[in-house]
């Protein structure tokens, strides 16, 4: 089994914006008890969790090789499905800034032989440059203020090897004919105050200038409410 190499970092502190904005969903122990339910995460995504999970897995491969990074723990069974696809020599690292999320994933995963679960800040990861073969950022960017989002994207690109993939799955502005274009606005503005940025701006606006159009593959789903952007380094 291949282990993960990290570099020394200062102690990780949960960001103020996360504590103030998302304590009810991510940082309070009661949040885990409420939201760690497969049927609920599927409902929150209007029945699309499994489809979006599988779309991300499709780009990771039927058999996942090398060093793989999942940026932030995810409610539901995404991580379990990644683990099932790991080649015997592959290794998955999962990072999260919130201790309660780290604890929850430890309890949730029954097989951690090829997994490292680490408390790290997505804006300042403890991995060497070009150390990951694939990096997945699944429904995280919409929870971040703009500058945090920009740094997270830059870090995901930094740690991914040339020829490797960075996969972003997140919200997207629906087409005009979609009823969700109107249904989701009060939901997101009330519960996800940073999410509207992903409606009004494209992820590509936060990419470093070194990333070119021919490296990117963007697809949208469910009337445009969700997107998957794959960048090949």
């Amino acid at each position: 089994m291949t282990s993960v190499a990290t570099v020394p970092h200062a102690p990780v502190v949960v960001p103020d914006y996360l504590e103030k904005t998302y304590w009810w969903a991510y940082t309070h122990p009661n949040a885990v008890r409420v939201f760690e339910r497969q049927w609920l995460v599927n409902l929150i995504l209007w029945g699309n969790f499994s489809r979006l999970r599988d779309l991300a897995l499709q780009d990771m491969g039927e058999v996942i090789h090398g060093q793989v990074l999942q940026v932030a723990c995810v409610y539901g069974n995404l991580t379990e499905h990644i683990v099932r696809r790991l080649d015997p020599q592959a290794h998955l690292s999962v990072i999260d800034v919130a201790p309660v999320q780290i604890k929850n994933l430890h309890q949730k995963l029954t097989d951690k032989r090829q997994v490292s679960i680490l408390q790290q800040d997505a804006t300042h990861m403890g991995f060497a440059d070009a150390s990951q073969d694939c990096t997945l950022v699944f429904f995280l960017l919409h929870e971040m203020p703009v500058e945090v989002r920009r740094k997270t994207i830059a870090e995901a690109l930094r740690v991914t090897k040339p020829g490797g993939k960075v996969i972003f799955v997140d919200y997207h502005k629906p087409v005009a004919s979609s009823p969700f274009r109107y249904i989701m606005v009060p939901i997101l503005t009330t519960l996800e105050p940073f999410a509207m940025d992903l409606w009004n701006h494209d992820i590509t606006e936060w990419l470093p200038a070194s990333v070119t159009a021919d490296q990117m593959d963007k697809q949208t789903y469910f009337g445009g409410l969700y997107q998957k952007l794959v960048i090949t380094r």
Side-chain angles (χ1 to χ4, degrees):
M1 181 184 72
T2 305
S3 61
V4 61
T6 60
V7 295
H9 267 61
V12 179
V13 178
V14 178
D16 285 343
Y17 82 86
L18 190 60
E19 288 280 21
K20 292 176 180 177
T21 308
Y22 289 109
W23 63 268
W24 57 273
Y26 298 111
T27 63
H28 194 282
N30 286 338
V32 172
R33 288 192 279 271
V34 171
F35 288 99
E36 189 56 89
R37 305 168 193 269
Q38 188 65 37
W39 67 267
L40 182 55
V41 293
N42 197 48
L43 179 64
I44 290 170
L45 294 178
W46 303 101
N48 287 279
F49 177 88
S50 296
R51 181 189 182 196
L52 294 164
R53 175 201 67 206
D54 291 347
L55 285 165
L57 289 168
Q58 177 180 303
D59 277 285
M60 300 176 82
E62 287 296 324
V63 178
I64 301 174
H65 300 276
Q67 297 286 330
V68 186
L69 172 61
Q70 177 186 317
V71 183
C73 299
V74 175
Y75 289 132
N77 59 17
L78 169 68
T79 309
E80 292 94 318
H81 277 259
I82 295 174
V83 171
R84 289 174 198 164
R85 293 187 178 211
L86 291 176
D87 175 83
Q89 299 303 314
H91 189 90
L92 170 66
S93 298
V94 185
I95 68 164
D96 203 290
V97 76
V100 68
Q101 294 295 330
I102 296 291
K103 179 180 178 181
N104 180 51
L105 188 56
H106 271 290
Q107 294 173 340
K108 188 165 64 169
L109 285 183
T110 57
D111 183 0
K112 296 190 283 283
R113 290 172 297 174
Q114 295 175 252
V115 183
S116 296
I117 305 172
L118 308 166
Q119 187 185 14
Q120 292 189 14
D121 189 321
T123 67
H124 193 55
M125 297 185 206
F127 300 98
D129 294 355
S131 58
Q132 306 298 311
D133 294 279
C134 182
T135 300
L136 174 62
V137 184
F138 191 87
F139 280 92
L140 177 64
L141 296 183
H142 75 277
E143 297 167 354
M144 295 175 156
V146 170
E147 281 310 306
V148 176
R149 184 182 305 132
R150 190 187 306 276
K151 291 176 182 177
T152 296
I153 292 170
E155 279 290 272
L157 291 165
R158 176 186 69 79
V159 302
T160 305
K161 296 177 182 179
K165 291 181 179 179
V166 183
I167 304 167
F168 299 101
V169 180
D170 220 305
Y171 285 110
H172 185 271
K173 189 173 186 177
V175 297
S177 59
S178 170
F180 289 95
R181 187 174 179 125
Y182 313 99
I183 292 171
M184 289 297 292
V185 170
I187 295 173
L188 293 179
T189 53
T190 302
L191 299 177
E192 307 267 17
F194 310 116
M196 294 305 295
D197 284 340
L198 289 181
W199 285 38
N200 299 319
H201 301 275
D202 198 278
I203 292 175
T204 57
E205 295 182 35
W206 300 299
L207 294 175
S210 58
V211 180
T212 59
D214 62 348
Q215 293 175 270
M216 295 182 279
D217 179 23
K218 176 182 174 180
Q219 304 291 331
T220 60
Y221 309 94
F222 200 59
L225 180 59
Y226 306 115
Q227 63 178 312
K228 180 181 70 172
L229 174 65
V230 181
I231 299 173
T232 302
R233 297 292 285 140

